Amino acid sequence: MARAYNFAPGPAALPESVLKQAQADMLEWGTAGASIVEMSHRGPEFMEVAARAEADLRTLLGVPADYAVLFLPGGATTAQALLPLNFAAPGATVDYVVTGHWGKTALRQLTPAVTANIAASGEPDGFRNIPARDTWRLTPGAAYVHITANETIHGVEYRPAWGEPAPETGDVPLFADFSSSIASEPIDITRYGVIYAGAQKNLGPVGISVVIVRRELLERTGQPRADIFNYGSQLAHDSMLNTPPTWNWYMAGLVFRWMLDEGGTPEFDRRSDEKAALLYGAIDGSGGFYRNDVDPAVRSRMNIPFFLAEDAHNAVFLDGAREAGLIGLKGHRVLGGMRASIYNAMPVDGVRALVAYMQDFQKRHG
Ligand SMILES: *Cc1c(COP(=O)(O)O)cnc(C)c1O
C-alpha cells in the first residue's frame, strides 16, 4: 500500500523515516529485551532518550540556557489552562490578542481568578488579518501578553510583512502558542517569556506538549494549584513528576533528529517559503475558481484554507483528491471549504502534486 500525501491539520503527517525507525524499535530496544515503551521512565535507556530529545530540541530551536524546556502530557489546550495558574497571581490582568479559533480557545481556559483583557481581536474582520500592533490596547503591568503565532484553522500567521513577528510588549513577557508553526523557521527565543506547542502538528504524535519557559518566570507565585500543575515542580523533576508519555517523547525525539539531519530550521524556512508560494500561487492564479481570503501580509505558510467558488464541488474535489493520493484536505467545520496543512513533514513534491490536481480539477469543472 502506498502512503498518501497527508495534508491533515493534526494529528498530522510524520516523516516516513521516523515511522520506519519507530517500527524497527517497536519490538526491542537494542538488546534490552523489551521495547522503549515497556521500560521504566527512570531507567538508563529512557533517561538517555529524554536527555537527547531535550538536547536536540535546544539545538534545533536555539534555546538559550536561561530557558527551561518541559515535556508534558496533554495538549496545547492544557498549556493554555496552566499558563495563568503558573504565571498570573489572583486578581492580575492578562492580555490576549485573538487572531483566530485557537486564540479564543486560549481565552476560554482562563478562570475568574484573573481579569482577561482582549487587547486586540481580528474577529470583526472575520479573522482575515492581524490588528496592527499600534492598535493593541495592552495593560501596563499585565502578567503577560498571549498571542497565537499561527492560527491553524484561520490560516493567519505573524509574518515579517505584518511587522515584528514577535511583537514588542515592553516589560510584559510575551507568551506564544506555537503549536502549528514551531520549528518552521529560526526564531529569537529571547523575545518570548513562554513558547508552547502541542506536538501533533510539527513535532510528533499527539499526547505530549513542549513548554519553553524563561527560568526567572518560574519564580512567580501564580495561583493556588496542585503540584502536578506546577511548572516549577515539573522542572525540578525533569518533567517526570509522574509517569511521562514515554512513547510520544521518544517519537518527538526522532522528529527532532530528523529535522536536524534535514538542515534544521533554516532549511524548513526555505521549504516553507517554496511550498506556500506554490500553493498560494495556484489559488491566486486560478481566476477565482479557488479563493483564500487572508490578508497576504499574514497568510500562514503552514495551514492554507481555500474555498472553491462552488460549494457543490467540495465533495467531488475531496473524492478525486483521495484517488490522486492526497488526503486530509477537508476544511475545519468552523470555516468549511478546504485546508491544506503543509508542516515540515510535507515534502515540496506533495504540494506540487496538490497543485497539479487542483489545476486538473479546474480544467474539468471550471
Ligand atoms: C491544535 C492546536 C491547539 C490545540 O491543541 P490540543 O493539543 O488539541 O490541545 C491549540 N493551538 C493551536 C495553534 C493549535 O494548532
Side-chain angles (χ1 to χ4, degrees):
M1 196 199 114
R3 282 173 55 79
Y5 287 122
N6 181 1
F7 296 88
L14 288 166
E16 195 163 316
S17 63
V18 164
L19 294 173
K20 286 191 169 141
Q21 182 65 50
Q23 187 179 40
D25 291 343
M26 184 54 117
L27 278 181
E28 188 179 7
W29 184 256
T31 55
S35 81
I36 195 76
V37 264
E38 300 169 293
M39 289 181 218
S40 168
H41 52 293
R42 303 194 191 282
E45 293 90 353
F46 188 75
M47 292 299 266
E48 196 186 316
V49 167
R52 178 154 179 191
E54 177 174 338
D56 283 347
L57 185 65
R58 283 181 175 277
T59 305
L60 183 69
L61 301 180
V63 181
D66 59 334
Y67 281 72
V69 178
L70 300 171
F71 289 87
L72 298 174
T77 315
T78 318
Q80 289 171 347
L82 296 184
L83 292 179
L85 294 186
N86 280 275
F87 301 113
T93 296
V94 291
D95 282 351
Y96 278 67
V97 176
V98 180
T99 52
H101 176 91
W102 292 114
K104 287 174 76 172
T105 304
L107 264 179
R108 277 201 303 277
Q109 309 318 314
L110 297 172
T111 67
V114 296
T115 301
N117 171 48
I118 301 180
S121 173
E123 192 154 25
D125 289 321
F127 293 128
R128 285 185 296 229
N129 55 35
I130 298 180
R133 170 65 190 84
D134 60 11
T135 66
W136 294 11
R137 290 179 308 275
L138 297 178
T139 311
Y144 57 81
V145 178
H146 182 280
I147 63 169
T148 313
N150 178 65
E151 281 286 354
T152 318
I153 292 172
H154 288 88
V156 169
E157 185 176 13
Y158 288 82
R159 300 302 311 152
W162 174 83
E164 206 40 68
E168 181 57 51
T169 53
D171 291 339
V172 178
L174 179 64
F175 288 12
D177 179 353
F178 263 92
S179 292
S180 50
S181 56
I182 194 165
S184 63
E185 65 182 329
I187 59 169
D188 179 0
I189 303 267
T190 64
R191 300 292 306 270
Y192 302 87
V194 172
I195 283 174
Y196 66 94
Q200 70 270 27
K201 280 57 181 261
N202 233 353
L203 298 182
V206 64
I208 195 164
S209 52
V210 166
V211 183
I212 301 170
V213 194
R214 194 186 301 144
R215 287 183 201 271
E216 65 178 23
L217 291 171
L218 293 168
E219 284 155 27
R220 288 191 180 178
T221 313
Q223 297 170 38
R225 60 199 183 280
D227 195 39
I228 193 75
F229 298 146
N230 186 324
Y231 282 164
S233 296
Q234 286 288 5
L235 179 63
H237 293 85
D238 299 320
S239 304
M240 295 190 193
L241 210 46
N242 66 332
T243 318
T246 51
W247 177 255
N248 313 57
W249 199 333
Y250 149 79
M251 288 280 286
L254 292 183
V255 175
F256 304 157
R257 185 107 293 269
W258 173 79
M259 289 186 194
L260 287 170
D261 289 346
E262 292 289 304
T265 55
E267 173 60 12
F268 288 108
D269 189 22
R270 193 195 63 70
R271 288 185 202 173
S272 297
D273 271 343
E274 188 179 351
K275 289 185 285 182
L278 277 169
L279 194 41
Y280 284 117
I283 294 165
D284 295 342
S286 70
F289 188 84
Y290 302 108
R291 198 181 85 243
N292 168 283
D293 296 330
V294 177
D295 177 351
V298 295
R299 278 177 162 183
S300 170
R301 298 189 307 176
M302 301 285 108
N303 309 95
I304 303 184
F306 61 94
F307 305 92
L308 279 66
E310 287 187 47
D311 271 347
H313 284 153
N314 285 350
V316 194
F317 181 91
L318 288 169
D319 285 349
R322 176 163 250 298
E323 272 164 38
L326 310 164
I327 62 172
L329 286 163
K330 190 174 193 317
H332 191 277
R333 61 194 145 74
V334 166
L335 284 186
M338 307 296 151
R339 170 175 46 166
S341 296
I342 50 174
Y343 304 119
N344 286 357
M346 173 58 66
V348 178
D349 277 348
V351 176
R352 287 210 183 91
L354 173 58
V355 165
Y357 170 71
M358 288 166 69
Q359 290 170 345
D360 180 60
F361 185 87
Q362 183 174 357
K363 264 189 215 122
R364 286 183 286 115
H365 297 90

Coordinates of all heavy atoms in Angstrom, one line a residue, residues 72-114:
L72 N 5.5 17.7 28.6 CA 4.4 17.4 29.5 C 3.3 16.7 28.8 O 3.0 17.0 27.6 CB 3.9 18.7 30.1 CG 4.9 19.5 31.0 CD1 4.4 20.8 31.4 CD2 5.4 18.7 32.2
P73 N 2.6 15.8 29.5 CA 1.4 15.2 28.9 C 0.3 16.2 28.6 O 0.3 17.2 29.3 CB 1.0 14.2 29.9 CG 1.5 14.7 31.2 CD 2.8 15.5 30.9
G74 N -0.5 15.9 27.7 CA -1.6 16.8 27.3 C -1.3 17.6 26.1 O -0.2 17.4 25.5
G75 N -2.2 18.5 25.8 CA -2.0 19.2 24.5 C -1.8 20.7 24.8 O -1.6 21.1 25.9
A76 N -1.9 21.5 23.7 CA -1.7 22.9 23.8 C -2.8 23.5 24.7 O -2.6 24.5 25.4 CB -1.8 23.5 22.4
T77 N -4.0 22.9 24.6 CA -5.1 23.5 25.5 C -4.8 23.3 26.9 O -5.1 24.2 27.7 CB -6.4 22.7 25.1 OG1 -6.6 22.6 23.7 CG2 -7.6 23.5 25.6
T78 N -4.1 22.2 27.3 CA -3.7 22.0 28.7 C -2.8 23.1 29.1 O -2.9 23.7 30.2 CB -3.0 20.7 28.8 OG1 -3.7 19.7 28.1 CG2 -2.9 20.3 30.3
A79 N -1.8 23.5 28.2 CA -0.9 24.5 28.5 C -1.6 25.9 28.6 O -1.3 26.7 29.5 CB 0.2 24.6 27.4
Q80 N -2.6 26.1 27.8 CA -3.4 27.3 27.9 C -4.0 27.5 29.2 O -4.2 28.6 29.8 CB -4.5 27.3 26.8 CG -3.8 27.5 25.4 CD -4.8 27.3 24.3 OE1 -5.9 26.8 24.5 NE2 -4.4 27.7 23.1
A81 N -4.5 26.3 29.8 CA -5.1 26.4 31.2 C -4.0 26.6 32.2 O -4.3 27.2 33.3 CB -5.9 25.1 31.4
L82 N -2.8 26.0 32.0 CA -1.8 26.1 33.1 C -1.0 27.4 33.1 O -0.5 27.8 34.1 CB -0.9 24.9 32.9 CG -1.5 23.5 33.1 CD1 -0.5 22.4 33.0 CD2 -2.2 23.4 34.4
L83 N -1.0 28.1 32.0 CA -0.2 29.4 31.9 C -0.7 30.4 33.0 O 0.1 30.9 33.8 CB -0.3 30.0 30.6 CG 0.4 29.3 29.4 CD1 0.2 30.0 28.1 CD2 1.9 29.1 29.7
P84 N -2.0 30.7 33.0 CA -2.4 31.6 34.1 C -2.2 31.1 35.5 O -1.8 31.9 36.4 CB -3.9 31.8 33.8 CG -4.3 30.7 32.9 CD -3.1 30.3 32.1
L85 N -2.4 29.8 35.7 CA -2.2 29.2 37.0 C -0.8 29.4 37.5 O -0.5 29.6 38.7 CB -2.5 27.7 37.1 CG -4.0 27.3 36.8 CD1 -4.2 25.8 37.0 CD2 -4.9 28.1 37.8
N86 N 0.2 29.3 36.6 CA 1.6 29.4 36.9 C 2.2 30.8 36.9 O 3.1 31.1 37.6 CB 2.4 28.5 36.0 CG 2.4 27.1 36.4 OD1 3.1 26.6 37.3 ND2 1.4 26.3 35.8
F87 N 1.6 31.7 36.1 CA 2.3 33.0 35.9 C 1.4 34.2 36.2 O 1.9 35.3 36.0 CB 2.8 33.0 34.4 CG 3.7 31.9 34.1 CD1 3.4 30.9 33.2 CD2 5.0 31.8 34.7 CE1 4.2 29.9 32.8 CE2 5.8 30.8 34.4 CZ 5.5 29.8 33.5
A88 N 0.2 34.0 36.6 CA -0.6 35.2 36.9 C -1.2 35.1 38.3 O -1.9 34.1 38.6 CB -1.8 35.3 35.9
A89 N -0.9 36.0 39.2 CA -1.4 36.0 40.6 C -2.9 36.2 40.5 O -3.4 36.8 39.6 CB -0.7 37.0 41.4
P90 N -3.6 35.8 41.6 CA -5.1 36.1 41.6 C -5.3 37.6 41.5 O -4.6 38.4 42.2 CB -5.5 35.6 43.0 CG -4.4 34.5 43.4 CD -3.2 35.0 42.7
G91 N -6.2 38.0 40.7 CA -6.5 39.4 40.5 C -5.7 40.1 39.4 O -6.0 41.2 39.0
A92 N -4.7 39.4 38.9 CA -3.9 40.0 37.9 C -4.6 40.1 36.6 O -5.6 39.4 36.4 CB -2.6 39.2 37.7
T93 N -4.2 41.0 35.7 CA -4.8 41.1 34.4 C -3.8 40.4 33.4 O -2.6 40.5 33.5 CB -4.9 42.6 34.0 OG1 -5.8 43.2 34.9 CG2 -5.4 42.8 32.5
V94 N -4.5 39.7 32.5 CA -3.7 39.0 31.4 C -4.2 39.6 30.1 O -5.4 39.7 29.9 CB -3.8 37.5 31.5 CG1 -3.1 37.0 32.7 CG2 -5.3 37.0 31.6
D95 N -3.3 39.9 29.2 CA -3.7 40.4 27.9 C -3.7 39.4 26.8 O -2.7 38.6 26.7 CB -2.7 41.6 27.5 CG -3.0 42.9 28.2 OD1 -4.0 43.0 28.9 OD2 -2.1 43.8 28.1
Y96 N -4.8 39.3 26.0 CA -4.8 38.3 24.9 C -5.1 39.0 23.6 O -6.0 39.8 23.5 CB -6.0 37.3 25.2 CG -5.5 36.2 26.2 CD1 -5.2 36.5 27.5 CD2 -5.3 34.9 25.7 CE1 -4.7 35.5 28.4 CE2 -4.8 33.9 26.6 CZ -4.6 34.2 27.9 OH -4.1 33.2 28.8
V97 N -4.3 38.6 22.6 CA -4.5 39.1 21.3 C -5.1 37.9 20.5 O -4.5 36.8 20.4 CB -3.2 39.6 20.6 CG1 -3.5 40.0 19.2 CG2 -2.6 40.8 21.4
V98 N -6.3 38.1 20.0 CA -7.1 37.0 19.4 C -7.1 37.1 17.9 O -7.6 38.1 17.4 CB -8.5 37.0 20.0 CG1 -9.3 35.8 19.4 CG2 -8.5 36.9 21.5
T99 N -6.5 36.1 17.3 CA -6.4 36.2 15.8 C -7.0 35.0 15.1 O -6.8 34.7 13.9 CB -4.9 36.3 15.4 OG1 -4.1 35.3 16.0 CG2 -4.4 37.7 15.8
G100 N -7.8 34.2 15.9 CA -8.5 33.1 15.3 C -9.0 32.1 16.4 O -9.1 32.5 17.6
H101 N -9.5 31.0 15.9 CA -10.1 30.0 16.8 C -9.3 29.6 18.0 O -9.8 29.5 19.1 CB -10.3 28.7 15.9 CG -10.9 27.6 16.7 ND1 -12.3 27.4 16.8 CD2 -10.3 26.6 17.4 CE1 -12.5 26.3 17.5 NE2 -11.3 25.8 17.9
W102 N -8.0 29.5 17.8 CA -7.1 29.0 19.0 C -6.9 30.1 20.0 O -6.7 29.8 21.2 CB -5.9 28.3 18.5 CG -6.2 27.1 17.8 CD1 -6.0 26.8 16.4 CD2 -6.8 25.9 18.3 NE1 -6.5 25.5 16.1 CE2 -7.0 25.0 17.3 CE3 -7.3 25.5 19.6 CZ2 -7.5 23.7 17.4 CZ3 -7.8 24.3 19.8 CH2 -8.0 23.4 18.7
G103 N -6.9 31.3 19.5 CA -6.8 32.4 20.5 C -8.0 32.5 21.4 O -8.0 32.8 22.6
K104 N -9.2 32.2 20.8 CA -10.4 32.2 21.5 C -10.4 31.0 22.5 O -10.9 31.1 23.6 CB -11.6 32.1 20.6 CG -11.9 33.3 19.8 CD -13.0 33.2 18.8 CE -14.4 33.1 19.4 NZ -15.4 33.2 18.3
T105 N -9.9 29.9 22.0 CA -9.8 28.7 22.9 C -8.9 29.0 24.1 O -9.3 28.7 25.3 CB -9.2 27.5 22.2 OG1 -10.0 27.3 21.0 CG2 -9.2 26.3 23.0
A106 N -7.8 29.7 23.9 CA -6.9 30.1 25.0 C -7.7 30.9 26.0 O -7.5 30.7 27.2 CB -5.7 30.8 24.5
L107 N -8.5 31.9 25.5 CA -9.3 32.7 26.4 C -10.2 31.9 27.3 O -10.4 32.2 28.5 CB -10.1 33.7 25.6 CG -9.6 35.1 25.3 CD1 -10.6 35.8 24.5 CD2 -9.3 35.9 26.6
R108 N -10.8 30.9 26.7 CA -11.8 30.1 27.4 C -11.1 29.3 28.6 O -11.9 28.7 29.4 CB -12.5 29.1 26.5 CG -13.7 29.8 25.7 CD -14.7 28.8 25.2 NE -14.1 27.8 24.4 CZ -13.8 28.0 23.1 NH1 -14.2 29.1 22.5 NH2 -13.2 27.1 22.3
Q109 N -9.8 29.2 28.6 CA -9.2 28.4 29.6 C -8.9 29.2 30.9 O -8.4 28.7 31.9 CB -7.8 27.8 29.1 CG -8.0 27.0 27.8 CD -9.2 26.1 27.8 OE1 -9.5 25.4 28.7 NE2 -9.9 26.1 26.6
L110 N -9.2 30.5 30.8 CA -9.0 31.4 32.0 C -10.1 31.2 33.0 O -11.3 30.9 32.6 CB -8.9 32.8 31.5 CG -7.8 33.2 30.5 CD1 -7.9 34.6 30.0 CD2 -6.4 33.0 31.3
T111 N -9.8 31.4 34.2 CA -10.8 31.3 35.3 C -11.0 32.7 35.8 O -10.3 33.7 35.5 CB -10.3 30.4 36.5 OG1 -9.2 31.1 37.1 CG2 -9.9 29.0 36.0
P112 N -12.1 32.9 36.6 CA -12.4 34.3 37.1 C -11.3 34.8 38.1 O -11.3 35.9 38.5 CB -13.7 34.1 37.9 CG -14.3 32.8 37.3 CD -13.2 32.0 36.9
A113 N -10.3 34.0 38.4 CA -9.2 34.4 39.3 C -8.4 35.5 38.7 O -7.7 36.3 39.3 CB -8.4 33.2 39.7
V114 N -8.4 35.6 37.3 CA -7.7 36.7 36.6 C -8.7 37.5 35.8 O -9.8 37.1 35.5 CB -6.6 36.1 35.7 CG1 -5.5 35.4 36.5 CG2 -7.1 35.2 34.6

